Amino acid sequence: MNPLKWLIRIFLMLFLSRFSISADTITLDHFIKDNNDEVIVSSGKIFALGFFSPGSSRNRYVGIWYYQIPGKTVVWVANRDKPVKDTSGILRIDGRGNLALFQGNQSFPVWSTNISIEGVSNSFAEILDSGNLVLLQNDTRKAALWQSFGYPTNTWLSFMKIGFNLRTGLNQSYTSWKSPDDPGVGNCSFRMNPGVSPQMVLYKGSVPLWRTGTWTGKEWSGVPEMTQNFLFRDSFVNTDDEVSFSSDVRNASVIERAVINETGVVQRIIWSNEARSWISLTIPKEKCDLYGHCGPNGYCNPYLDFGMARIFRGDQIEGETKRVVGTYGYMSPDYFPDDMSLNLVGHVWELWKEGKVMEAVDSTLAKLQPLLFLFLTITKT
């Protein structure tokens, strides 16, 4: 055989072999550079790891996103509070075996997995089809030295946990971005509150917005949608070592995620191949879902307009109280009290009978009063 052809064949074999090994991994010999627009992709081409700029920002971050879904939907960010200001970023395995992000020629990393690794540094990082970025050693591939699922940002994927490892002290909670342009730690969080009856709580700052209620053994008491035919397979652990909850879709072909939004809501989002877009369910769904919305001893009915609440004292029940607190707007006829003056319709009717109906018109609509009066006169006759 021609020696030149033989050398070319050997070179191609070595090159392709190296490429196939490193397609989803970062090793001592294979790293990714921002200015080359390089990424690593999970073996099933589900997720990609690389550099990105959120929204209109020019700052650069290392993140994980869906590889085949348009729009670069980011589910995890490494250096969320430490952006790189240019495209000189390099993500590689450092001399201690950690996965680290460097800017330009700087010797100190911008971000690192920052764990203590014993023995010879032969570690590598791999992006999995679950969206989990793991740091492994060649001789202990079964045990992850570090994983991104242990350090979530604003997105909850299947098989991720929320809760506490009471043995290691690891707290797996979710925090919103500051804004669509800034993935830094925001003001809203979703976390497990441990105790005698653990439950998951959505916070804005230190103020609770919504909670799941306690675990009944099959579901969260405050999430009635969790029926026997629920879309997700859920697992709650409450032991001396761990208090956590995890959830994954029953149908592996379904792509879903939960996002803690900077506006203070949790969105459970499913990808629709037919619509080529995301379909979402938002929590809290209505005002009555808000934590403490009706106050102590309050009964909140979502069928009353504006989340109107009935507040009843200790010697009353919801069907017998007459005290209504809220906006006197529309309410279903089923909930009309005997005293019609307690609602807007009754109030306007009384004014109409007294010939004072225009008193119900907002003063800012004064110019329209003649037309309104004409309309009311026509409808009366």
Side-chain angles (χ1 to χ4, degrees), residues 11-27 30 38-41 45 67:
F11 174 77
L12 287 174
M13 289 176 62
L14 291 173
F15 175 79
L16 291 174
S17 173
R18 179 180 181 274
F19 180 79
S20 64
I21 292 173
S22 61
D24 60 352
T25 59
I26 294 176
T27 67
H30 178 252
E38 297 171 344
V39 298
I40 59 172
V41 181
K45 301 187 184 305
Y67 182 62

Side-chain angles (χ1 to χ4, degrees), residues 10-257:
I10 293 176
F11 174 77
L12 287 174
M13 289 176 62
L14 291 173
F15 175 79
L16 291 174
S17 173
R18 179 180 181 274
F19 180 79
S20 64
I21 292 173
S22 61
D24 60 352
T25 59
I26 294 176
T27 67
L28 283 170
D29 300 322
H30 178 252
F31 45 84
I32 57 176
K33 293 182 177 181
D34 187 13
N35 56 11
N36 290 345
D37 200 24
E38 297 171 344
V39 298
I40 59 172
V41 181
S42 64
S43 60
K45 301 187 184 305
I46 307 298
F47 288 97
L49 170 73
F51 290 85
F52 76 101
S53 290
S56 59
S57 173
R58 293 186 178 182
N59 291 331
R60 303 295 286 172
Y61 300 87
V62 170
I64 297 172
W65 60 85
Y66 292 97
Y67 182 62
Q68 300 189 59
I69 292 179
K72 192 173 284 189
T73 301
V74 176
V75 300
W76 183 79
V77 185
N79 56 317
R80 60 186 307 193
D81 285 314
K82 297 179 179 180
V84 176
K85 300 297 184 179
D86 54 35
T87 58
S88 66
I90 301 174
L91 187 65
R92 63 180 175 85
I93 300 296
D94 68 11
R96 299 191 302 123
N98 278 283
L99 180 65
L101 169 63
F102 293 88
Q103 181 174 357
N105 296 322
Q106 293 182 0
S107 57
F108 192 80
V110 174
W111 171 89
S112 169
T113 53
N114 194 30
I115 60 172
S116 177
I117 302 176
E118 298 180 358
V120 180
S121 177
N122 58 351
S123 56
F124 64 96
E126 180 178 5
I127 179 69
L128 306 179
D129 282 336
S130 62
N132 194 11
L133 176 65
V134 295
L135 185 66
L136 304 165
Q137 281 188 303
N138 285 320
D139 53 355
T140 58
R141 290 183 65 97
K142 294 182 180 179
L145 302 173
W146 175 95
Q147 57 180 329
S148 62
F149 274 16
Y151 303 88
T153 52
N154 74 328
T155 302
W156 186 358
L157 300 175
S158 288
F159 305 107
M160 294 181 74
K161 293 181 178 181
I162 177 172
F164 289 88
N165 187 314
L166 302 175
R167 182 172 50 83
T168 64
L170 183 65
N171 177 10
Q172 293 170 271
S173 59
Y174 298 76
T175 52
S176 66
W177 287 18
K178 289 182 177 178
S179 74
D181 301 325
D182 186 351
V185 176
N187 195 36
C188 298
S189 62
F190 191 47
R191 57 183 186 261
M192 181 73 73
N193 276 12
V196 177
S197 301
Q199 55 185 309
M200 298 186 295
V201 183
L202 174 66
Y203 289 91
K204 189 166 188 177
S206 59
V207 179
L209 298 179
W210 177 81
R211 58 179 176 171
T212 60
T214 56
W215 184 254
T216 66
K218 294 182 178 180
E219 61 190 26
W220 296 106
S221 61
V223 187
E225 296 85 358
M226 294 180 69
T227 62
Q228 190 173 10
N229 297 320
F230 201 52
L231 291 172
F232 308 97
R233 186 184 298 106
D234 302 311
S235 175
F236 177 68
V237 176
N238 187 5
T239 67
D240 292 337
D241 292 333
E242 180 181 355
V243 179
S244 69
F245 177 74
S246 62
S247 179
D248 63 280
V249 290
R250 294 181 180 274
N251 186 342
S253 65
V254 174
I255 300 174
E256 70 84 28
R257 59 195 171 97

Side-chain angles (χ1 to χ4, degrees), residues 112 164 189 200 220 233 285 308 340 345 353 368 376:
S112 169
F164 289 88
S189 62
M200 298 186 295
W220 296 106
R233 186 184 298 106
K285 293 188 296 183
M308 186 182 289
M340 290 291 288
V345 175
K353 289 192 297 183
L368 299 178
L376 293 171

